[in-house]
Amino acid sequence: MEDFFSQDQFEALLKNYSGKAGSDESSLLNGRVLSKKCFFVNIGNRSLGVDNAQKLFHDLRNLVDNVKMHIIINLKECSYLSSLAIGKIIQLAVERKKLGLRVAFTEAGKNIIDILNLTILDQLVEVYPTTEEAQHIFDNDLPFPYEK
């Protein structure tokens, strides 16, 4: 397992796991390396239902298995999480936590925040208003929960 990867390596992995450019599948997952400690992925789908959650989290897990980096997942475009998606998020967060790594959600809308609160998922996965705030916390090894 590498400590981190470059943006070029990250993009190559994204292409490998997210289908061909221009296909419907490629729009599910895109992102960028923010620092040597964390990277950002954008969930480019309004709904994480049974049909796409399995593939998305399989691809994401394969992507993150290669590095020791924190994950920041932007949910700005996501308005629904199925029970399968919630289960996959828990699985990913627990796996990363065992490695001493963290997972954060950013820019989640009210519906998603309500789901995270209801399922108590917000106690396992960190939730921040912006990607920049999550990156600051991860890059500076600030604890969870973080208080300003």
Side-chain angles (χ1 to χ4, degrees), residues 15-113:
K15 263 188 199 171
N16 206 23
Y17 294 118
S18 294
K20 296 179 181 176
S23 74
D24 289 339
E25 290 180 348
S26 67
S27 66
L28 284 178
L29 188 64
N30 60 64
R32 68 183 184 278
V33 174
L34 298 174
S35 69
K36 289 185 177 184
K37 291 189 177 187
C38 62
F39 66 91
F40 158 88
V41 293
N42 183 54
I43 305 299
N45 196 308
R46 300 210 37 87
S47 174
L48 284 181
V50 174
D51 55 335
N52 59 5
Q54 182 76 27
K55 179 182 179 358
L56 176 74
F57 284 99
H58 176 267
D59 292 351
L60 187 55
R61 183 175 304 108
N62 285 336
L63 180 68
V64 301
D65 279 350
N66 295 305
V67 293
K68 297 178 188 173
M69 295 173 77
H70 305 294
I71 307 167
I72 299 170
I73 302 172
N74 183 291
L75 294 174
K76 183 178 184 177
E77 297 178 30
C78 187
S79 61
Y80 171 75
L81 295 174
S82 68
S83 58
L84 176 66
I86 291 168
K88 293 296 181 184
I89 292 166
I90 292 169
Q91 188 177 23
L92 177 68
V94 168
E95 289 170 2
R96 300 310 282 173
K97 191 172 186 172
K98 286 179 183 176
L99 296 171
L101 299 167
R102 297 157 68 180
V103 177
F105 288 147
T106 61
E107 298 188 51
K110 184 183 177 337
N111 290 345
I112 299 298
I113 296 291

Side-chain angles (χ1 to χ4, degrees), residues 109-128:
K110 184 183 177 337
N111 290 345
I112 299 298
I113 296 291
D114 290 346
I115 291 170
L116 297 175
N117 290 335
L118 182 65
T119 59
I120 314 174
L121 200 53
D122 59 343
Q123 293 180 16
L124 179 63
V125 177
E126 301 170 49
V127 180
Y128 299 103

